[in-house]
Each structure stands twice: as structure tokens, then as C-alpha cells.
């Protein structure tokens, strides 16, 4: 997965996250082809600037509206306008929260990561500030302090995830980040798109482009997938007592038993990165765990050798001279696959079907 950091110098050109570049990166992020990282200083620079501008615009609007009585309008209309001004003033008091929500919604929607300032960053920045070390072009360059925190954040992100791709219009910051190693800096989105590593992401996206919107919806609706899988396991796949179960670790001589009950059905993982799209149908692999209560026939000699460390109950000790009828609980690991048609997702119906269930492991529960 490609990890990218976007600087304030780029984001301030599209503060509403509305332009095609950020919309493309948002989609690629939701498809898990890349991960967006925001240093805290980038977030704070952006939100504080947005708040200042919006607050100023609304403040000017209130001032202009409340001065309209001097421009010759009727008192009745002016009273209505005063109510508008009061409403704007009420909205003005919530702008900081609204600006922050705009950002946090984008972060949550894309799965981006907001990196708080590391405890060590302050010391490193101040040391570089007084020494004129990177990213400061000279000692005590106060205007570069925010960039120094972004620089330290990128170093920490590299330590955490490896290669980082940094999009930044500021020449000095871009150049010092380029010199870090494991970092690749670009002056614009357009330059970033020309990189060979992005081309690989673009090629991957082209393979799934015609069904990418539905794939994103699947990724956003894992709860529905889980609900269906659990319901199917309980209701249809292993429905009813005395269903035949085969597994090589079941200690009957033919490895066959009869399912009697089932509990603790849990979806462990939905393999979103392994979803297949074939002829208009999505196939979704899932790992599920459960507890099965199974009856099976066990040689009496085997029972006397193995029963001590296991939770085995004898259901019938006189079945015949060779076997006991045994009941035992096992922890079970299942590979489950369900399917859903592309049109079902488009129409927001999410009608799944069960395709395959395989018992991967039948695990003995020790006393």
C-alpha cells in the first residue's frame, strides 16, 4: 500500500475537498490502494485558516445586514433581516466545531491517519531551530517552525510504515524531505501521478474501476456481511441436529460425527483484499470460528487412552462391545464464502448467497 502525506500548501488550494485530485485520492484510499497521512500541524494549519476565513465572512455579513437600516428599507423588512443576522451570529459560534467536523469526516471516510505531535518532536524542532539544521534554512527562522514539525512527523511516519510520498508546493520543505531516504516528494498532484510507483497503483485501479463503487460499498458494509454469514451458519449451513460432520481430526474411525449443537459463532475476518469479481458477482472469503457439539463413535480402547485430558461425555456406554457413543465440544475454524450480485449492491439490497463452507480446524477443548 502506498503511503502519502499531503502538505498544507497543497490542501489550502482545495479546502472543501471538492477538486478531482483529492476525490481521486479519497477513492483510492477507500479501496485501500493507498493510505493518506496527516501530520497534526497540517490539520491545525488548515482548520485554523478555514475557521479564520469563514468567521470573517460571516462577521462581515452580520455587520452588513445590521447596517441596512441606514440604506433606506422599511422597518418591517429590517426586523426580518435582524432575525437573519441573529441566526448567523448563532451559527458563527459553532464554526470551529463545523470546520473540525469537516476534517474529521474526511479522515474517517477515507481511513486516513491523523498523527499527533510526538513527545520528542518539540525538542528536535527547537534544537534544529537554534542550530539552523534541517528543515530550517538558517538559525531562528520562526516562520519555518510549523514545517519543522511536519518534517519530524514525516520522519516518524517513515519509521512506522516505510516509504512515504510527500506532496508539497513549498520548495524548501519538499527538498529536505526528499533527502530523508525512503521519502519521495512532489510539487503537485500532477507530478505525483507521473511517478512509477503511482503508475502501479493506477494500473491496479484500472483493473477494478468498472466495479470500484460497489467494492467500496462492500467495504463500508462489513456489518451486513457479518450478519448474513452468522445467520447462515446458524440457520442454514449447519441447520438441524444429526447433520453429518467430517474432519480428519475427529477421533472416530471414519472421521465422521453428527452435529448436535452450535454456539459462539464469530466472524474473525472478512478478506476485503481477496474479494473476487466474476461475471457480475462478488465472491467474499470470510474466516469464522464457532463451538460445535458433536456426537461420534469412539473405540472403547481409544476412550480409555484419551478421555482423561478432554471434555468427553459418554452418551451410550453399551452401544456395542467395540464403541462408546461420545459427545464432545470442539472449537471450530471455518472458511466461509458468500456471494452478492453487483446489481444487488447498486440497488442497496445486499442480497447475499452462501457459496462454500470448509471446516479448516477441529480443535480439542482440553479440561
Amino acid at each position: 500500500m502506498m503511503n502519502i502525506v499531503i502538505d498544507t500548501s497543497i490542501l489550502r488550494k482545495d479546502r472543501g475537498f471538492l477538486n478531482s485530485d483529492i476525490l481521486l485520492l479519497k477513492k483510492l484510499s477507500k479501496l485501500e490502494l493507498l493510505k493518506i497521512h496527516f501530520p497534526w500541524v497540517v490539520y491545525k494549519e488548515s482548520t485554523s485558516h478555514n475557521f479564520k476565513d469563514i468567521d470573517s465572512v460571516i462577521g462581515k455579513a452580520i455587520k452588513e445586514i445590521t447596517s441596512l437600516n441606514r440604506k433606506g428599507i422599511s422597518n418591517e423588512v429590517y426586523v426580518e433581516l435582524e432575525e437573519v443576522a441573529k441566526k448567523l451570529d448563532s451559527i458563527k459560534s459553532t464554526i470551529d466545531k463545523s470546520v473540525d467536523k469537516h476534517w474529521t469526516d474526511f479522515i474517517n471516510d477515507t481511513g486516513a491517519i491523523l498523527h499527533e505531535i510526538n513527545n520528542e518532536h518539540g525538542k528536535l524542532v527547537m534544537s534544529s531551530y537554534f542550530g539552523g539544521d534541517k528543515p530550517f534554512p538558517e538559525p531562528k527562522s520562526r516562520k519555518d517552525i510549523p514545517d519543522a514539525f511536519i518534517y519530524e512527523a514525516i520522519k516518524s511516519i517513515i519509521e512506522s510504515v516505510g516509504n512515504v510520498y510527500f506532496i508539497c508546493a513549498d520548495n524548501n520543505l519538499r527538498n529536505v524531505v526528499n533527502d530523508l531516504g525512503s521519502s519521495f516528494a512532489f510539487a503537485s498532484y500532477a507530478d505525483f501521478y507521473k511517478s512509477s510507483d503511482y503508475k502501479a497503483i493506477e494500473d491496479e485501479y484500472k483493473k477494478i474501476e468498472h466495479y470500484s463503487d460497489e467494492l467500496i460499498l462492500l467495504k463500508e458494509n462489513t456489518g451486513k456481511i457479518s450478519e448474513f454469514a452468522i445467520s447462515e451458519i446458524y440457520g442454514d449451513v449447519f441447520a438441524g441436529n444429526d447433520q453429518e460432520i467430517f474432519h480428519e481430526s475427529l477421533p472416530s474411525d471414519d472421521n465422521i460425527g453428527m452435529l448436535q449443537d452450535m454456539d459462539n459463532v464469530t466472524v474473525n475476518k472478512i478478506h476485503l483484499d481477496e474479494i473476487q469479481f466474476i461475471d457480475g458477482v462478488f465472491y467474499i472469503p470470510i474466516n469464522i470460528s464457532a463451538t460445535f457439539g458433536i456426537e461420534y463413535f469412539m473405540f472403547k480402547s481409544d476412550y480409555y487412552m484419551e478421555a482423561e485430558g478432554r471434555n468427553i461425555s459418554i452418551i451410550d456406554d453399551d452401544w456395542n462391545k467395540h464403541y462408546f457413543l461420545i459427545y464432545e465440544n470442539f472449537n471450530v475454524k471455518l472458511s466461509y464464502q458468500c456471494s452478492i450480485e453487483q446489481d444487488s449492491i447498486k440497488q442497496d439490497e445486499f442480497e447475499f448467497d452462501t457459496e462454500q463452507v470448509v471446516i479448516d480446524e477441529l480443535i480439542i477443548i482440553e479440561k
Side-chain angles (χ1 to χ4, degrees):
M1 181 184 292
M2 176 177 279
N3 293 280
I4 69 169
V5 178
I6 309 174
D7 185 50
T8 318
S9 59
I10 298 294
L11 293 170
R12 70 164 59 104
K13 300 172 184 177
D14 178 25
R15 290 184 282 169
F17 301 132
L18 299 173
N19 290 349
S20 59
D21 292 307
I22 200 67
L23 291 177
L24 173 60
L25 296 183
K26 178 179 178 180
K27 188 165 191 177
L28 295 177
S29 180
K30 293 173 77 167
L31 289 166
E32 300 179 355
L33 294 175
L34 57 78
K35 176 71 72 174
I36 302 172
H37 299 261
F38 291 120
W40 186 86
V41 169
V42 169
Y43 150 76
K44 199 61 182 176
E45 282 183 324
S46 298
T47 54
S48 61
H49 187 60
N50 293 358
F51 169 75
K52 183 178 178 182
D53 275 5
I54 296 168
D55 186 71
S56 175
V57 169
I58 294 177
K60 289 177 181 177
I62 292 171
K63 184 177 180 181
E64 291 292 332
I65 289 170
T66 54
S67 68
L68 286 176
N69 64 331
R70 296 195 294 271
K71 300 187 184 295
I73 60 172
S74 68
N75 188 59
E76 290 81 6
V77 170
Y78 181 68
V79 169
E80 292 181 19
L81 289 170
E82 278 190 314
E83 290 301 316
V84 172
K86 289 178 183 178
K87 179 63 176 177
L88 284 174
D89 191 54
S90 175
I91 293 172
K92 189 171 182 287
S93 66
T94 67
I95 292 304
D96 56 342
K97 293 179 180 178
S98 177
V99 168
D100 188 67
K101 185 176 185 300
H102 171 69
W103 258 78
T104 55
D105 283 351
F106 181 84
I107 289 170
N108 293 334
D109 192 28
T110 58
I113 299 175
L114 178 62
H115 295 266
E116 300 290 340
I117 294 177
N118 186 293
N119 291 335
E120 293 298 314
H121 288 178
K123 293 179 182 178
L124 293 169
V125 167
M126 285 298 98
S127 176
S128 298
Y129 170 73
F130 287 109
D133 301 322
K134 292 181 179 180
F136 293 96
E138 58 186 26
K140 299 184 181 181
S141 177
R142 293 187 179 183
K143 67 181 179 64
D144 293 301
I145 288 176
D147 284 354
F149 277 101
I150 295 170
Y151 179 73
E152 294 299 334
I154 291 173
K155 287 165 62 177
S156 294
I157 294 169
I158 290 171
E159 290 178 5
S160 175
V161 303
N163 289 352
V164 165
Y165 299 80
F166 183 47
I167 306 173
C168 173
D170 181 274
N171 290 333
N172 177 62
L173 182 57
R174 185 175 68 255
N175 290 335
V176 295
V177 167
N178 236 345
D179 292 338
L180 280 174
S182 298
S183 59
F184 308 88
F186 307 90
S188 65
Y189 290 120
D191 287 347
F192 171 62
Y193 297 150
K194 295 174 185 175
S195 69
S196 59
D197 289 336
Y198 175 77
K199 292 291 186 184
I201 297 293
E202 185 179 46
D203 290 343
E204 194 68 25
Y205 173 62
K206 286 178 179 178
K207 295 177 185 177
I208 62 174
E209 186 174 7
H210 67 288
Y211 59 84
S212 60
D213 290 339
E214 290 79 25
L215 187 57
I216 288 171
L217 286 171
L218 282 176
K219 292 174 184 290
E220 292 175 346
N221 285 274
T222 54
K224 292 181 180 179
I225 300 172
S226 294
E227 287 174 10
F228 172 78
I230 291 173
S231 174
E232 281 290 284
I233 293 294
Y234 272 120
D236 291 323
V237 177
F238 296 108
N241 291 344
D242 294 330
Q243 182 174 344
E244 189 172 275
I245 297 290
F246 172 83
H247 196 269
E248 58 270 13
S249 62
L250 196 64
S252 61
D253 61 345
D254 56 3
N255 303 124
I256 293 175
M258 297 295 178
L259 179 67
Q260 298 302 306
D261 52 66
M262 180 171 48
D263 200 6
N264 303 321
V265 178
T266 304
V267 171
N268 296 330
K269 185 173 183 180
I270 300 172
H271 293 274
L272 299 173
D273 57 336
E274 296 178 18
I275 292 176
Q276 292 182 302
F277 182 73
I278 304 170
D279 294 333
V281 178
F282 290 93
Y283 295 88
I284 309 166
I286 304 171
N287 290 133
I288 293 177
S289 62
T291 303
F292 282 4
I294 301 175
E295 283 187 0
Y296 60 93
F297 292 104
M298 189 176 195
F299 278 117
K300 291 182 179 181
S301 57
D302 290 342
Y303 171 80
Y304 291 122
M305 292 177 61
E306 299 184 23
E308 185 175 344
R310 295 164 61 166
N311 286 304
I312 295 177
S313 301
I314 298 176
I315 304 302
D316 190 332
D317 62 357
D318 195 29
W319 186 266
N320 61 35
K321 65 180 181 180
H322 300 293
Y323 295 99
F324 288 140
L325 179 60
I326 298 296
Y327 174 88
E328 185 173 9
N329 283 318
F330 295 87
N331 288 329
V332 183
K333 303 294 183 183
L334 305 169
S335 289
Y336 176 79
Q337 186 185 72
C338 65
S339 64
I340 181 171
E341 293 185 1
Q342 185 177 18
D343 288 343
S344 174
I345 304 172
K346 287 181 178 179
Q347 296 166 20
D348 197 30
E349 294 174 348
F350 287 89
E351 295 178 354
F352 298 95
D353 290 306
T354 294
E355 296 295 325
Q356 186 179 30
V357 184
V358 175
I359 297 177
D360 294 324
E361 294 183 74
L362 207 61
I363 305 165
I364 293 169
I365 302 174
E366 297 181 353
K367 284 184 179 178

